[in-house]
Amino acid sequence: MRIKKRGLFGILLLTLAFVLAACGGGSESTGGGSDSDSKESKNSGKSGLKDTYTVASDTSFVPFEFKENGEYVGFDIELINAIADEVGFEIKLETTNFDGIIPGLQTGSFDIAIAGITITDDRKKTVDFSDPYYDAGLRIGVSVDNKDINGIEDLKGKTVATRLGSTSADYIKKNIEGAEASQFEQLDQVYLAVENGSADAVLYDSPNVAYYIQTKGEDSLKLVGELYQAEQYGIAFAKGQDELVSKVNEALATLKENGKYDDIYEKWFGEKPE
Ligand code: ARG
């Protein structure tokens, strides 16, 4: 009887040891698998992340986001796609006028937004931001034959065109005496206003003014003055998605390390970042 019992106990122990060993082996191989960089394995056990996020961007902001042959392309579009691949989620892209982006994040219409959005303390009250992904500033563009405006001090009392809800609109109101900020919903209206003489100058994001003048606006506009008000762009998030924000920051750091960020940058700005 005693021997029998011991025998049974032994078998139980052996079984238990076997099961434990099998489990151990199993988790070891899973651990090994997650070292490979497939999307699925990165997000296995990802907890709170969704498979698809709604990403808002602007309708037109060269060279960050704009439509080409019916498709949205640009630096922001490629960067957010690279980040999504890295973290392991799909993107549902929605485009809207710039001034609708932050309200859309607040009401929950969008989860994420990438649109050359400057990180400001004021905006941080209503949305969260990733780490900065691009250094910008403001620049002035005037008509090619304008000889009077050569810098920010010459904008006093002038009509300055810019985009509705942008940091440059705030800048004009706060820093340029007597200037009228003529704010447009769409970017082509901003440049058109200077081209047709209804505004004296444009003050807007440096990479956008420079890019426009190098391309479409080559014969009509020129850059004057220097870079005003350094700004940094961040990816914006509806509040309450801390895990997603930290995964996106990790992905951004990885892309900067592995050279993919530099490749995308060079493609759209013609040079590597400094
Ligand atoms: N960076 C400026 C801001 O955040 C202008 C917005 C530029 N982006 C755009 N997609 N229009 O106010």
Side-chain angles (χ1 to χ4, degrees):
M1 208 40 195
R2 278 181 77 163
I3 296 162
K4 247 190 179 174
K5 253 190 187 168
R6 241 191 231 159
L8 199 66
F9 188 62
I11 289 167
L12 274 175
L13 265 185
L14 262 177
T15 313
L16 191 66
F18 186 73
V19 168
L20 280 178
C23 282
S27 70
E28 224 168 67
S29 67
T30 310
S34 67
D35 283 341
S36 80
D37 55 7
S38 96
K39 225 190 222 186
E40 290 71 22
S41 62
K42 263 190 190 140
N43 273 328
S44 54
K46 63 182 174 181
S47 63
L49 294 195
K50 295 200 284 182
D51 293 333
T52 304
Y53 286 96
T54 303
V55 176
S57 193
D58 189 10
T59 45
S60 178
F61 181 58
V62 288
F64 294 86
E65 50 262 358
F66 58 106
K67 220 173 189 177
E68 200 174 64
N69 307 322
E71 279 214 32
Y72 271 95
V73 294
F75 180 79
D76 281 347
I77 306 292
E78 280 191 38
L79 183 64
I80 197 68
N81 274 298
I83 288 172
D85 279 351
E86 192 58 39
V87 179
F89 61 83
E90 300 292 325
I91 285 177
K92 186 168 172 277
L93 185 70
E94 301 225 6
T95 55
T96 181
N97 283 336
F98 184 74
D99 63 305
I101 292 179
I102 291 182
L105 288 171
Q106 283 178 268
T107 57
S109 306
F110 315 126
D111 304 308
I112 304 174
I114 186 161
I117 305 170
T118 301
I119 303 172
T120 68
D121 287 340
D122 219 30
R123 289 174 177 166
K124 277 188 197 163
K125 292 178 196 152
T126 50
V127 296
D128 288 331
F129 281 102
S130 69
D131 293 335
Y133 71 87
Y134 186 91
D135 291 333
L138 304 180
R139 289 219 64 176
I140 304 169
V142 293
S143 163
V144 273
D145 40 43
N146 184 316
K147 301 209 169 54
D148 307 331
I149 300 175
N150 298 301
I152 207 89
E153 53 297 331
D154 301 326
L155 293 181
K156 281 182 190 155
K158 298 276 196 262
T159 303
V160 186
T162 192
R163 194 84 180 271
L164 191 66
S166 63
T167 46
S168 40
D170 277 348
Y171 185 91
I172 297 165
K173 284 186 235 159
K174 287 189 193 132
N175 302 296
I176 311 176
E177 220 185 284
E180 186 200 332
S182 190
Q183 299 184 51
F184 296 92
E185 260 190 5
Q186 282 167 20
L187 199 55
D188 46 357
Q189 300 168 319
V190 174
Y191 290 108
L192 194 66
V194 188
E195 283 163 347
N196 71 19
S198 61
D200 300 300
V202 46
L203 180 76
Y204 203 44
D205 294 51
S206 49
N208 181 260
V209 181
Y211 193 91
Y212 181 83
I213 289 177
Q214 273 161 30
T215 53
K216 247 181 162 178
E218 202 185 13
D219 301 324
S220 54
L221 299 184
K222 63 177 179 186
L223 280 171
V224 293
E226 49 201 75
L227 189 75
Y228 304 100
Q229 176 162 277
E231 301 190 352
Q232 289 187 306
Y233 295 165
I235 300 164
F237 300 84
K239 286 219 178 261
Q241 305 183 94
D242 293 355
E243 189 185 350
L244 177 64
V245 177
S246 63
K247 291 274 182 206
V248 165
N249 282 336
E250 275 170 33
L252 189 59
T254 305
L255 296 172
K256 283 192 174 175
E257 257 167 49
N258 68 18
K260 285 189 186 162
Y261 174 92
D262 287 13
D263 291 346
I264 300 174
Y265 191 104
E266 193 175 13
K267 174 171 172 189
W268 294 102
F269 301 104
E271 57 189 16
K272 295 259 186 222
E274 281 169 20

